[in-house]
Amino acid sequence: YVYFFSSKENKETFMKNPIKYIRQPKPKPAVPVKIAIVGPPKSGKTTVAKKFASVYGLLRLSMGDAIRLVLDNQPESELALMLKWHLHKGLTVPDELAIQALDVALMNHVCNTTGVVIDGYPVTRKQVNLLESARIIPAKIFELEMDAKEVFRRALLDNESTNRPPYPEHDSSQILAIKNSCYKQHIDAIRTYYKKEHQNWCVIDAFRSKWWIWNKVLQEVQVVVKEIQIYLERIRQGKAAGIADLCITPEELQYRLGEFGQYCPVSLAEKGELVDCSVTSSLQFAAEFRGHYYKMASQEELDKFLSRPEVYVPPLAPYPLPLPDMLPKKLTAAEVKALFPTSAEMLGYCPVTYLDGKQRYEALVPGNIEYAAKYQDKLYIFESEEKLLKFMRLPKKYWNLKLPRKLPPKKEPILLTALPLAGYLEQAIATSLIKALNEVGCLKPKFPFLSVKKTALLFVACHLKGHNARSSAAVRQAYQRKLGRFVEHCQLLPYLGAAMAGPYQEPRHRPLGFDTRLRAFLSLK
């Protein structure tokens, strides 16, 4: 064999010990990576894209680049003629033609050997649909997130820069405002679509430095490339492989699901548990084996499946998945009501709480219709979501229980007015009564010529009337004014007691208002 080296030093090192370098593991196959970068104007999309192009040799493609490539390399093609027709009339190139130009540009040998960075595309929901129809799916889409204030700040710095090109640029504040507004209008729908369909969306904080952004994007791309390389290598060797970063759509997943559907085969084989993984659309714990997809409950189960997949799938799997009509199904409160007149099993008591409580009397807890399930045409309701999930995992363990003869008394509603006096006071006016008693205890009023007990009773009565939430505002205000006058009269005793403590004083030497309060006091008799 003939071997080539990058330098003379490497050649001499090889000559000293060639066996060491010949026997090393072969490098993983090169994977052409396809990524896209989107973001508001001035967020640094082109800077990152150009960095990938210069450092790793990827082809940077904006939509303008793709159109120019078609016009320059295939000027007589039908696509180029249609593009020229629109451009010569001063029109914007339609999205349909732009996608065709991008598709042609992606046939470049660099895209198929090294990879491509799509700069600033897609920016509308229609463009996403056209990319999907052309089967152009980036392995990772990076959104550089930044607010409008930072957009205009960076634009101002660019205007003051001395490195501006000699030709005018479309970066006035008005144009940037329009571009930013259009971007914000569509980006939420685009983000939602890719997160749901391909799980290949990654948000990057564009406020950080360009070096931090570059390192973050590079790390994410390296992870994706490594995952793809591992997937290709393991599939080639006939092993199971993770499918987390392969942009698999929910439709494709559903079409290629294995014998266990979205239930975890490892949990079923080792614990006999039916763990439904359809509650999350994430493929983080999913794998492919023999052309079928399987979803696992956690990283631990995924590692076990990847190491020995054949023991968890037929024919070596110890338990098959039950038939669809034998699987438990969660029900909403509305679905439970729609099943009327079907009644819940165990008279509505939670079977999980009862069995886990060792079938004791205290473990008979009524269920809540918010947490319900149907199993073998029978309805079960549970105390909490935790108990519902436990039943969904092990329905055979809990489904066929028998209730004891002695059951807790039924909790039927009782009319408030049917309660005894103490119970009525506790349930109806306890809070108001406590507030009134607290105030009378702090104030300790004494009405002239009345006993302390009668004064306290009158104060409490006025306080309850003045703070009765069921009375009208006018009635409450009237009693509050009455309570205020009652308190003023109660304050006459301590005032007169203090003012009349000394010897007799002539009227002209008495405190101001003394005579008025004395007459008020005597009138209350």
Side-chain angles (χ1 to χ4, degrees), residues 229-428:
Q229 287 176 331
I230 293 172
Y231 168 82
L232 293 173
E233 186 176 355
R234 291 183 68 89
I235 292 298
R236 183 173 55 82
Q237 296 171 357
K239 299 178 180 179
I243 57 173
D245 292 305
L246 301 187
C247 303
I248 293 168
T249 64
E251 292 77 17
E252 183 184 352
L253 175 72
Q254 198 65 36
Y255 180 72
R256 293 181 62 182
L257 277 175
E259 303 83 355
F260 296 95
Q262 301 226 23
Y263 286 88
C264 175
V266 180
S267 298
L268 183 60
E270 294 190 346
K271 307 172 190 174
E273 293 184 357
L274 292 168
V275 181
D276 187 3
C277 302
S278 63
V279 292
T280 173
S281 60
S282 172
L283 298 179
Q284 183 182 357
F285 307 128
E288 178 183 339
F289 183 60
R290 294 175 183 167
H292 294 292
Y293 294 152
Y294 300 90
K295 290 184 77 174
M296 264 55 72
S298 67
Q299 186 65 46
E300 182 184 352
E301 280 79 13
L302 177 62
D303 293 340
K304 289 179 179 179
F305 185 85
L306 292 176
S307 61
R308 299 179 64 202
E310 58 279 348
V311 302
Y312 298 112
V313 300
L316 299 181
Y319 307 114
L321 186 72
L323 296 173
D325 57 345
M326 297 294 286
L327 290 171
K329 179 189 174 186
K330 284 185 183 179
L331 299 177
T332 63
E335 289 172 330
V336 173
K337 292 175 182 176
L339 290 174
F340 182 81
T342 303
S343 58
E345 294 296 307
M346 294 185 63
L347 299 178
Y349 290 104
C350 176
V352 178
T353 306
Y354 181 54
L355 186 61
D356 290 352
K358 300 179 181 179
Q359 298 182 327
R360 296 194 306 268
Y361 177 83
E362 297 81 9
L364 288 168
V365 179
N368 185 339
I369 63 168
E370 295 291 333
Y371 313 112
K374 191 176 182 182
Y375 181 64
Q376 296 196 15
D377 292 327
K378 294 181 179 179
L379 174 64
Y380 298 88
I381 58 178
F382 305 91
E383 179 187 4
S384 64
E385 188 172 3
E386 178 190 354
K387 303 296 171 67
L388 168 60
L389 294 176
K390 210 166 185 180
F391 181 87
M392 298 294 290
R393 286 171 176 250
L394 296 164
K396 287 185 178 179
K397 180 179 177 181
Y398 298 105
W399 79 286
N400 203 17
L401 301 177
K402 302 295 182 185
L403 285 173
R405 291 187 179 182
K406 183 183 178 183
L407 298 174
K410 290 185 178 180
K411 296 179 180 178
E412 296 180 352
I414 302 174
L415 289 174
L416 195 62
T417 52
L419 292 171
L421 181 59
Y424 175 80
L425 291 174
E426 179 190 8
Q427 296 296 323

Side-chain angles (χ1 to χ4, degrees), residues 467-521:
H467 296 85
N468 185 3
R470 300 181 67 177
S471 298
S472 65
V475 172
R476 287 200 303 271
Q477 289 169 6
Y479 275 99
Q480 285 170 9
R481 288 194 296 269
K482 189 173 182 179
L483 181 63
R485 290 194 299 272
F486 185 84
V487 172
E488 284 178 13
H489 291 152
C490 290
Q491 290 170 348
L492 289 174
L493 273 175
Y495 171 79
L496 292 174
M500 299 171 68
Y504 173 79
Q505 293 180 347
E506 293 292 333
R508 63 179 181 275
H509 295 133
R510 294 171 186 170
L512 189 66
F514 175 84
D515 293 329
T516 306
R517 294 185 185 184
L518 182 59
R519 285 193 296 271
F521 171 77

Side-chain angles (χ1 to χ4, degrees), residues 426-447:
E426 179 190 8
Q427 296 296 323
I429 60 168
T431 304
S432 301
L433 198 55
I434 289 168
K435 288 181 179 178
L437 292 172
N438 183 54
E439 283 204 33
V440 79
C442 293
L443 192 61
K444 295 183 176 62
K446 171 68 174 71
F447 197 86

